[in-house]
Amino acid sequence: MAITYDQGLSFVQGFGAAIAENKAYLTQLDSEIGDADHGTNMDRGMQAVLAKVGSLEGADLSQLFKTTAMTLISTVGGASGPLYGTLFLGLGTATTGKTELSTEEWSQALDAAVQAVRARGKAELRDKTMIDALQPAADALRESAQDGATLEVALAACERAAEQGMQATIPLVARKGRASYLGERSAGHQDPGATSSWLLVRAARQAFTADT
Amino acid sequence: MKKLINRVEDVVKEELEGIVAAHSDLVRVHFAPNYVVRADAPVSGKTALVSGGGSGHEPMHGGFVGMGMLDAACPGEVFTSPTPDQILEATKAVSGGAGVLHIVKNYTGDILNFEMAADLAKADDIEVEAVVINDDVAVQDSLYTAGRRGVGTTVLAEKICGAAAEAHASLKDVAELCRRVNANGRSMGMALTSCTVPAAGKPTFDLGEQEMEIGIGIHGEPGRERRALATADEVTEMLTRPIVEDLPFKRGDKVLAFVNSMGGTPLIELYIVYRALARYLDGVGVKIERRLIGPYITSLEMAGCSITLLRLDDEMTRLWDAPVNTPGLRWGV
Ligand SMILES: Nc1ncnc2c1ncn2[C@@H]1O[C@H](COP(=O)(O)OP(=O)(O)OP(=O)(O)O)[C@@H](O)[C@H]1O
Ligand SMILES: [Mg+2]
């Protein structure tokens, strides 16, 4: 089973819908250890993306992801604008010319994208950032794909790993981003960026396993 | 939420419309992307200074655009860094052929967006240097944090470097001077109340009647620790001691003392703080040569203050005294 352009589009749209639905929740998480704008930032960006991507005539997956990236970079601001922009740019660069993706190709694209986010933000695992959800998700997807798992099974493992990574940020003391200014006081709170990243991975699973 | 606004979505746009309505002799405003430039930009042959950051810190940065200070400011949404395309367009609009200095406060969002903008500007053959301001002693500068935040020293760096650029110092020299100001400036802030980001609709944190936050930044975020409310003299010492010990400021040093309101604290209280600061510094033999007192780098309506000390040398003092003509700072003109 391959991932089609329409499924790619419904992934981007599903992520936008999930952000809109969880806007207040993400901002609430950011008010505990940040500056109370993560949900607002991401929703502003994804609403702009939603206004654009529905009408991309004859685009391939790469163009879809790059348009998403450039829109996020130019509308979000904050730390998450360049970081999610870089993530989608990574997906776009890894899928040049593709109208369909195999499980391995999606895994390679996610790997490249997470690598690019790490290069831009210089965050490591357990720094209490979006990397704590994204890296385990990319790892789980790659391992499942290598084991020959079906797309459904691989995506489910990917989503589970992101959710666990998100939850594992709760006890951590932040070492990157605004939350790091709080020192020990950042422990006991779930990272907002890891939460939006789990929503992204969940949107991918939902879109890529649905019939279109 | 009680605020003098019309619609939450329009706060930044309408503020900029107000600035241009009030100060069109000093600045021009470009919308979508949003940026403020001095009225006579680009000034040919002059190193251009561009800064920016989230809105909500007024008069910083838009109020510091004009002769002798910034060439452009890029306001983001409230407490959210501006975007790379905004910074790029502002950079192009003020580039006068002698290069552009980006003065960036050390926040992950500001760093990432200014980095992307600088890459784009270089692709357009504009020479860009960035200097990062990180003067907040409340944050440990270690591998375990995003590094010290940029706070009060930013205002002083923009004034001092703006004067140097006005006198046609080269990009390299203005950047060097900016690093020197940053290296000699230290700040710390405190909050008596939280503040409400318009889009969030409720205060970012709750502070009890008898509590205060010590070591806050400028984005309504909680500080390093919560303490029982204390007197102005005690609070001034809590802020000043770590500043003095950090650089350290030594007997015989000459300083610029900057007592800043976070937005909600009135001048009557700032002067009580200044009184305590002057006594403290007198006690350790540090001489106040220049001072700035008022709301210059704010956090919406937050009550509280920050103290910044900048160790001056003769060049910095001279550049501080040089004429400046902006909506937020004006003298010598
Ligand atoms: N260096 C980094 N690398 C990866 N992710 C990061 C980094 N710094 C912060 N983040 C993520 O960004 C999230 C915060 O995003 P948000 O949109 O709130 O931006 P911000 O830090 O508040 O910036 P700004 O104040 O400029 O808006 C954090 O929860 C964290 O997951
Ligand atoms: Mg935030």
Side-chain angles (χ1 to χ4, degrees), chain A residues 30 35 37-38 41-42 76-81 83 117 121-123 128-131 176-178 191-194, chain B residues 79-81 107-110 112 219:
Chain A
D30 197 30
D35 58 348
D37 64 357
H38 187 60
N41 288 349
M42 291 301 297
V76 176
S80 44
L83 290 168
V117 175
K122 304 187 180 65
K128 197 176 181 113
T129 70
M130 50 200 279
I131 295 300
K176 279 279 181 301
R178 229 172 244 304
D191 179 60
Chain B
F79 293 170
T80 298
S81 332
Y107 299 97
T108 306
D110 287 15
L112 295 179
H219 297 90

Side-chain angles (χ1 to χ4, degrees), chain A residues 69-82:
Chain A
M70 294 320 291
T71 310
L72 289 175
I73 289 170
S74 65
T75 54
V76 176
S80 44

Side-chain angles (χ1 to χ4, degrees), chain A:
Chain A
M1 268 259 303
I3 298 163
T4 64
Y5 177 85
D6 286 346
Q7 286 174 316
L9 178 60
S10 80
F11 154 52
V12 172
Q13 290 171 329
F15 180 47
I19 290 289
E21 214 172 287
N22 290 281
K23 178 179 165 183
Y25 173 52
L26 294 172
T27 292
Q28 173 57 36
L29 291 174
D30 197 30
S31 75
E32 287 163 24
I33 54 170
D35 58 348
D37 64 357
H38 187 60
T40 324
N41 288 349
M42 291 301 297
D43 189 51
R44 182 173 56 250
M46 288 310 298
Q47 288 303 322
V49 168
L50 292 180
K52 255 186 214 167
V53 292
S55 55
L56 290 176
E57 292 293 326
D60 60 24
L61 283 162
S62 171
Q63 288 158 330
L64 168 69
F65 293 144
K66 283 184 178 166
T67 303
T68 303
M70 294 320 291
T71 310
L72 289 175
I73 289 170
S74 65
T75 54
V76 176
S80 44
L83 290 168
Y84 275 103
T86 300
L87 181 92
F88 277 99
L89 211 51
L91 293 178
T93 312
T95 54
T96 303
K98 300 261 198 254
T99 48
E100 272 195 0
L101 300 175
S102 66
T103 310
E104 289 74 28
E105 286 171 324
W106 171 244
S107 166
Q108 284 158 10
L110 190 62
D111 265 333
V114 173
Q115 228 13 74
V117 175
R118 292 182 66 155
R120 172 124 340 255
K122 304 187 180 65
E124 299 291 333
L125 265 180
R126 306 184 63 78
D127 281 352
K128 197 176 181 113
T129 70
M130 50 200 279
I131 295 300
D132 291 319
L134 290 172
Q135 188 64 65
D139 291 345
L141 179 63
R142 184 182 341 98
E143 282 155 23
S144 303
Q146 280 166 356
D147 291 347
T150 62
L151 182 62
E152 279 81 1
V153 170
L155 289 170
C158 177
E159 182 189 334
R160 205 161 43 242
E163 187 175 4
Q164 285 165 357
M166 167 187 86
Q167 287 162 348
T169 63
I170 296 174
L172 294 176
V173 173
R175 292 187 293 209
K176 279 279 181 301
R178 229 172 244 304
S180 71
Y181 303 137
L182 291 174
E184 299 289 331
R185 277 175 91 180
S186 63
H189 302 276
Q190 184 170 308
D191 179 60
T195 309
S196 54
S197 285
W198 163 67
L199 294 174
L200 180 134
V201 171
R202 192 185 65 173
R205 201 261 304 151
Q206 289 169 342
F208 299 166
T209 55
D211 297 329
T212 47

Side-chain angles (χ1 to χ4, degrees), chain B residues 272-289:
Chain B
I272 295 174
V273 170
Y274 184 83
R275 164 185 172 274
L277 175 64
R279 288 184 177 184
Y280 185 95
L281 292 180
D282 193 44
V284 296
V286 170
K287 181 163 189 291
I288 300 180
E289 286 253 303

